[in-house]
Each structure stands twice: as structure tokens, then as C-alpha cells.
Amino acid sequence: MRGEVMTGARTLALVGNPNVGKTALFNALTGLHQRVANHPGITVERHEGELKGSHGQVRLLDLPGVRSLAPRSPDEAITSATLLDEGNAPALEGLLLVLDATQLRRGLFLLSQVLETGLPLLVCVNMADEARAEGVPVDTNGLARALGGIEVLAVSALKGDGVAALRQRLLAGPLVAPAQPRLADIAGVHTTLRPSRARWQAQRRGVEEASLVQEEAAARWRFAATVLADVKTTAANKLRQRSDRIDRGVLHPVFGPFIFVAVMGVVFQAVFTFATPAADAIEAAVAFAGEGLRAGLGSSLITDLLVDGALAGVGAVIVFLPQVLLLFLLLILLEDSGYLSRAAFIADKPFAYIGLSGRSFAPWLSSFACAVPGILGLRSIEDQRERRIAMFAAPLLTCSARLPVYTLLISAFVPRSDVLGFLSLQGLVLLGLYLLGILLAILAAALYDRVLKSGARLPLLLELPPYRFPAMHTVGLRLMQRAGMFLRRAGTLILVFSVLVWALTAFPRPERAPETSSERAAAIESSIAGRIGHWIEPAIEPLGQDWRIGIGLVASFAAREVFNSTLSVVYAVETPDGADADARLADTLAGARDARTGALSFTLPTVLGLLAFYAVALQCISTIAVVARESGSWRFALMQFVFFALGAWMLAWLTRTAALAAGLG
Amino acid sequence: MVSESPTPEIHVSWRALDSLAPGQQGAVVALRGPEAVTTKLAEAGFVPGALITLVRRAPLGSPLEVAVDGARFTLRAEDASAVLLHDAR
């Protein structure tokens, strides 16, 4: 029996509809005692927390919110699999079903399905404070009676009311299995439906007759109505009225889009303006630590591995954190306040033209900071086709790792002149690269949309919750959860690959440790990376590039901005203390000449071509790995990589050829 | 308050949800269209007898904001056309 009490490890799971404050309750119950576990068999993570008391402890799983147990998105699939005991999910002692006090009937729809799992159950009516504010406190006794004796507790996760009592109850002892677990028995609803487990599986495969599915749903709604017939309930009328007043402005036909653009502009600006000083400080601190380490340890292979491999790798990871954290923070605030679903509502129409929906908006916005959180954010999308299209195109949006490469090349080669007297040409080129990224993402999505066989689309049933003030402790915990996920998914790979790239550039070791910059340059040319650079030279020669850029391309797979530091070594740039490394590199590149012909290595057309290459190429090992994992298909990830590489090459060639023809050389 | 599906009669006028003006409402008679759409709609509360209000259209004309059973959902016009209502006013 699954419902049996297990000694030692008691495991309970939180389930509920989306937007009922389930995660807020999870955070309120477990606080910092939580961790992330990989769900076996499914490529999605699951949050686990621990409740400890004097009598024992309980493991609590936070399962993604669902409206029904017939899952569609990878997120929903976890919830279903855990409840239906599939795919090596941990055995559950029981469930905490979280309901929204102001939307009880919606929760009871899910309850009717949850009952059929036969698992012991405790019903938690959340947002009890909002019901009280409406003058209709949650009638826990009435609800428990109507549900045939299931335990019911009222809580307010955001305010903390009732959380201590709930914690005590969970620690006190096992939950009780519902006495009458069958839908037909509880409220006298008569259905002629087959057992639900087989039915959900059939629904998931899409083989069940639509009329049967609808009939079952109607029966479940009747069940919900019957249960509530004698229970006094309320909707969140006051909150809804306030929301409607706000929405008259926020979703106004004329002002709505302006507010949307303004909010997103602020997010965008904040991420780049406020995060840049922090990122610079991190870079300086890492460089300082490296010098200190080198001075302390002396020159050896181990020192090189630690400083140029490991420490540089750690630096390459944490330098992203200010931007990614700030972006996450702003997105969480927008999401918890309720604006993010309005943004999706507004953005849906333009997204619909390229096979996407408003749901893809926030993940795409994240991709401007980094494609990894963007792609992770696509998990909650139910429509598999949309998920694939959005995942395919997202890496084309200009992520922040491209920015150092763009800045370097632009400052070195684009004239510092003004257009029309007041627009900086350098700024225009950068803006053009951002627009190019957006344009390419749109084209790629539209193209992939046409390529995919058209399947049945799922309706865009996005809930628009009333506006609420985000609770700061919940925001803080969620920020930590997301940052942790980013570090695990992207961070570890960037770190490992940085060490690998270091090894490629450090081996074979020169006979004598290089001391001057020109010796270092000679060492890297004879290294494995140097050989790879020479080896791919024929492929990039039509783009006007040589083996040195080849090394840069290989090295920048760890993270695109590694391109800059690698070129500094390849071009033997001397950076005395206090000098701006990137400015010195820019000067060096501008004066670099081909050893054979004596011609300038880089001309404006060549550089424009290189910029175009970086705008397209999927030059990022973390993104490739995350795409493979999230799509569940290495084939898809490799197809995307090859497609982007070919596209990058062609666009670079076209750009250079056109620039040469225009006489820019 | 939840009624059985009414027997279709000639004088009953059915309207698709997407043809409503903001502020208008009606009771669901039936869902039509592909299974994937109707299942999701039924799970969200669009079942015969349920009272549906078209709250507003998005600033760009689509999707629609729809009130059903105390919740608000977005619904694209083509999916809203799967929801047939009677007594719409």
C-alpha cells in the first residue's frame, strides 16, 4: 500500500492549482531548509524541503502547480508522475492539497482527481486572510464535513497566519486517508467513467474521445459545486475590483502598450546599468586574486591550472551573477505582482505570428541577459511545439556575454564619428547588433514554425491573477532558488570548460616557462588550441580571418567573452599595471598586420563580418548542453548548433562581401 | 445552478464567445473543435452551464480576457470561438 506510514522518512507533497500560493506556503513551512533534487526520469528539478520538530521530521516536496492530473508541460508531468507513483518518484505518505480560499471551486476540481489516487490528504485553504477581508472567513469545519471528513486547515502563507499550526500538525503524525475516496461516493455524483489512472494516461496520449473527456470534466465541476452547496465561500471581490481599476489603465488599448514598453525598458536598462559596475568589480577582484595567488605560489603548472584555469573559470561564472540576479529579481517581482501575465497578454499577438505565444515573452526577455535562464524558463509552457520553437530561436537574442566581444571590436575598428551630427556611429553599430539579434530570432522562429509539422495547438489559457504586493521573504527565497539553478546548469559547465580551454592553450608545455608576452604568444601558437586554430583557418579564411581568430573562436566556447582574454595572449598584448586591458587589446588589434603580406589583419569589412558571426553562432557550451537537456534531445541541440554555425558563416561572408563592395575597406 | 445541456431548439440563438462585446456574458452550451482545445477548456471550467463573461480584449485586439467561475483567463479569439454560449447579453 502506498498510503502506509513509513518509519524514518516521512515524505509529503504539496499540490495545488497554479497561483494558489503553493510555493509561498512551501517557503513559509521550510524556510531555508530546502534543496533541489533531480526528478528521476524527467529532466526537471524538484524542490524539497525539511520540517523539523521535537517529534521527528518530514520531507516536503514542492510540486509544480497543475489544473488537472492529465499533464502537458514538463512541469505538470512531474506532479502527475509523483502522484501516480510513476518513474521512481519517492513513495509519498500523503499530500497537502493547497486551495485558494477565494477560488475554492477550482481547487475542488483538482481535489476530485487527487482523491482517486487514494493517498492520505490534508486540505490547506490558503489566502484565508483575503476571504476574511471579504467578510467570509473560511468555513473549515463545513468544508471538512462536506468532504466526508478530510482534514481542512486555513492558512495565509504570505502573512504567516496558521503556518505554525500547520507545521505542528504535519509533524504530529501521519495524514488520514479519505474514508470515501471515490468521486461517485462523496457527493452522490454518478458518473459512468472508467478508473481515472488509465484515463489520465489515455488523455495524455491524446487517444481518448473528446466527448468523454468533457463529460468527465463536467462531472468533476458538478462534484465541486455539490461539495460547496452548503459551505459559505467568497471570491476575492475587493482585490478583483482594485485589479480591474488598475487594468483599465495597464491594459488600455492605447496606454497599455506604452506602459508595457516602458516597464520592459526599465527592466532592460536596470539590468545593464546597475549590474555593470558590479560585474566590473568582480572582474577586478578575480584578477587581483589571481595575481595574489601567482605571487604566493610561484610559477608552476599547478599555479597556471589554478589561476588561468580554475580561478578564471570561477570568474567567468560569477561575472554573470549581477546581471542574472538582477534580472531574476525584477522578473520575480513582476510575476508575483501579477504584471508578468498581463505582459504575456499584451505580447501574445505579435508572438503569435511566429508560432509562439505570450508565454514565451519572459523567457525571451531573460535571454538578453543569458540564454540559459531563458531556456530554463520555457519549462512551464504546455505546448511542446511552442517550447521547441522558442528554444530554437532564443540563443539568437543578444546575451550579455556577447557584449564584451562587441564592445572590443567596435571600439577598435568602428570610427569614433557622429552620424547626423549627434548620433555616435559606434553606438549605432551596437544598437544595430541588438536589432539584428531580435530580427534573426524572429526569422528563425518563423522558419522553424514552418518547418515543424503543424500539430494541434493548445489554447492559451493563462490565468490573470489579481494584483498583489509581492512578499519580500518569498521573493528572496525564490531568487536564491533560481540563482542556484543557474549556477548548477550554466556555472558548472562554464567552469569545467574553462579548465578544458586552459588545458588546450597550455599543452604541450613549452620547454621554458614563457616570461614575456611574445613568448606567451609563441607558446599558445604551438599549443593544441593553436593547432586547432591553424586547422580551422581554411574554413574562416574566406571571412578574412586567420588562425589567431580561430583560437579565439575555440576558446570562446566556454563563454563568449573569453574571446577577449584569449586574443590578448595570442596577440602578445602587454598590459602594465593599471592599464585598461581591453583598450590595449583594441589598439593592438587595430595595428595588427599579416606576417606574410604586411597588410592590416583587420579591416572594417572583416570586423563587421566577425561581429555578424558572433551575432549568430551558438558559441556557448552551456547553452548547447541546456538545450539538449531541456529538449531531451541531443540531436535537436546539435542540429541547432550546426544550423547556427552555417548561418553565422554565411552571414559573416555576406556582410564582409557587401562591406567590401560598398568600399568600406 | 449547474444545468444540464439544453436541448437545441431552433429559436435558441447560439453565439461563439469570441463574438461577444466586452462586458457581455452567456452560459456555455457546448465546446467544439480539436480535443486538445476542448479538454483544456473543460478543465479550466468551460463546461455546459458555466457563466462566461468577456471582460476585455488585449490592447492589440487579441487575445481576450475572460471571466469564468471567479478566475480570469486569456483566450485567443480562435480558441474562444470553440465556446458556444446561449442567452448571451
Side-chain angles (χ1 to χ4, degrees), chain A residues 331-607:
Chain A
L331 284 180
I332 290 170
L333 287 176
L334 287 179
E335 193 179 340
D336 285 7
S337 69
Y339 185 73
L340 207 56
S341 45
R342 268 79 178 177
F345 182 55
I346 291 177
D348 183 65
K349 189 162 189 191
F351 272 78
Y353 286 115
I354 51 175
L356 301 176
S357 79
R359 282 176 192 268
S360 293
F361 168 73
W364 271 30
L365 185 70
S366 307
S367 299
F368 281 100
C370 175
V372 170
I375 288 163
L376 292 172
L378 295 169
R379 276 178 186 177
S380 59
I381 294 180
E382 298 171 327
D383 192 318
Q384 195 183 351
R385 173 195 165 92
E386 175 180 358
R387 222 159 47 228
R388 275 288 170 97
I389 296 172
M391 200 181 285
F392 181 72
L396 289 167
L397 298 164
T398 304
C399 70
S400 61
R402 284 185 176 103
L403 207 52
V405 179
Y406 287 175
T407 317
L408 170 75
L409 294 175
I410 288 174
S411 67
F413 297 102
V414 175
R416 235 178 278 271
S417 55
D418 287 344
V419 180
L420 302 174
F422 63 97
L423 291 168
S424 142
L425 183 62
Q426 293 189 337
L428 279 180
V429 172
L430 188 60
L431 179 68
L433 284 165
Y434 267 93
L435 294 178
L436 176 70
I438 296 170
L439 184 72
L440 288 171
I442 291 171
L443 283 175
L447 185 72
Y448 199 52
D449 181 38
R450 304 292 182 277
V451 168
L452 282 179
K453 277 189 275 227
S454 60
R457 281 166 198 260
L458 293 174
L460 177 83
L461 270 168
L462 203 65
E463 199 177 341
L464 298 171
Y467 290 104
R468 291 190 173 94
F469 284 103
M472 283 309 143
H473 58 275
T474 301
V475 170
L477 276 169
R478 291 184 58 199
L479 184 61
M480 278 172 48
Q481 287 164 357
R482 290 209 194 173
M485 185 153 88
F486 171 76
L487 285 179
R488 278 189 306 282
R489 285 283 164 270
T492 47
L493 262 175
I494 295 175
L495 179 58
V496 168
F497 217 75
S498 296
V499 174
L500 185 69
V501 163
W502 166 80
L504 288 180
T505 55
F507 290 99
R509 303 281 288 170
E511 284 163 20
R512 194 167 69 79
E515 271 158 21
T516 65
S517 57
S518 53
E519 281 173 10
R520 275 197 289 276
I524 199 171
E525 185 178 359
S526 57
S527 70
I528 303 173
R531 279 176 226 169
I532 297 177
H534 277 289
W535 184 64
I536 63 173
E537 195 179 60
I540 54 176
E541 209 168 4
L543 307 180
Q545 312 297 351
D546 62 13
W547 60 272
R548 291 179 283 201
I549 293 295
I551 298 180
L553 292 182
V554 172
S556 62
F557 265 105
R560 290 181 179 91
E561 81 274 11
V562 172
F563 180 80
N564 292 15
S565 53
T566 307
L567 282 197
S568 287
V569 179
V570 174
Y571 279 94
V573 179
E574 295 280 5
T575 312
D577 284 349
D580 180 346
D582 275 353
R584 304 280 303 209
L585 175 59
D587 291 343
T588 309
L589 292 182
R593 285 177 187 279
D594 189 298
R596 280 161 292 176
T597 61
L600 281 174
S601 293
F602 296 97
T603 56
L604 188 55
T606 314
V607 169

Side-chain angles (χ1 to χ4, degrees), chain A residues 9-204:
Chain A
R10 294 179 59 205
T11 304
L12 301 174
L14 274 165
V15 273
N17 290 332
N19 299 315
V20 295
K22 195 174 47 61
T23 297
L25 183 60
F26 174 74
N27 287 337
L29 281 171
T30 62
L32 291 171
H33 301 285
Q34 44 177 272
R35 65 190 192 92
V36 176
N38 283 323
H39 194 289
I42 305 175
T43 59
V44 182
E45 292 167 331
R46 184 188 60 209
H47 290 277
E48 277 184 26
E50 231 165 59
L51 284 174
K52 275 190 186 137
S54 46
H55 302 303
Q57 63 182 52
V58 174
R59 189 155 68 125
L60 198 59
L61 310 182
D62 186 19
L63 300 176
V66 291
R67 274 183 218 138
S68 135
L69 291 184
R72 286 178 189 80
S73 74
D75 265 352
E76 293 174 333
I78 300 193
T79 304
S80 264
T82 310
L83 264 60
L84 299 178
D85 202 12
E86 292 168 347
N88 300 323
L92 296 178
E93 180 201 292
L95 297 174
L96 246 74
L97 179 71
V98 187
L99 308 183
D100 174 350
T102 62
Q103 293 202 31
L104 276 180
R105 198 148 23 143
R106 299 205 156 266
L108 293 182
F109 179 92
L110 181 61
L111 177 89
S112 77
Q113 294 188 328
V114 165
L115 279 177
E116 289 171 39
T117 65
L119 285 165
L121 188 64
L122 185 137
V123 171
C124 247
V125 183
N126 191 19
M127 307 196 191
D129 55 321
E130 289 180 10
R132 206 177 314 121
E134 296 287 341
V136 186
V138 179
D139 179 7
T140 47
N141 291 335
L143 190 56
R145 229 182 356 261
L147 287 171
I150 295 175
E151 269 184 282
V152 180
L153 283 178
V155 297
S156 167
L158 290 185
K159 299 254 158 69
D161 304 340
V163 174
L166 174 62
R167 189 187 289 120
Q168 250 173 10
R169 167 62 193 93
L170 295 180
L171 286 167
L175 304 184
V176 185
Q180 300 167 303
R182 282 172 48 79
L183 172 66
D185 302 335
I186 285 205
V189 175
H190 296 290
T191 62
T192 53
L193 304 170
R194 285 173 280 137
S196 59
R197 187 120 144 218
R199 291 176 47 82
W200 292 327
Q201 280 157 359
Q203 286 181 18
R204 211 180 309 172

Side-chain angles (χ1 to χ4, degrees), chain A residues 67-68 70 72 103 105-106 109 203 208 210 213-214 217-218 221 225 240 244 247-248 251-253 257 345-346 348-350 352 356-357 382 457-464, chain B residues 1-2 4 30-32 34-48 55-65 68-76 79:
Chain A
R67 274 183 218 138
S68 135
R72 286 178 189 80
Q103 293 202 31
R105 198 148 23 143
R106 299 205 156 266
F109 179 92
Q203 286 181 18
E208 187 152 297
V213 178
Q214 284 183 48
W221 286 110
R240 187 49 81 184
D244 275 336
D247 274 340
R248 272 200 284 277
L251 298 177
H252 187 274
F345 182 55
I346 291 177
D348 183 65
K349 189 162 189 191
L356 301 176
S357 79
E382 298 171 327
R457 281 166 198 260
L458 293 174
L460 177 83
L461 270 168
L462 203 65
E463 199 177 341
L464 298 171
Chain B
M1 57 167 283
V2 180
E4 296 295 322
L31 304 178
R32 59 178 180 191
E35 184 270 340
V37 175
T38 54
T39 304
K40 290 294 294 178
L41 286 170
E43 285 173 0
F46 295 81
V47 285
V55 180
R56 60 167 64 82
R57 289 171 189 275
L60 301 175
S62 170
L64 317 174
E65 179 180 341
V68 49
D69 200 18
R72 299 289 177 84
F73 288 106
T74 67
L75 205 52
R76 284 184 178 164
D79 297 323

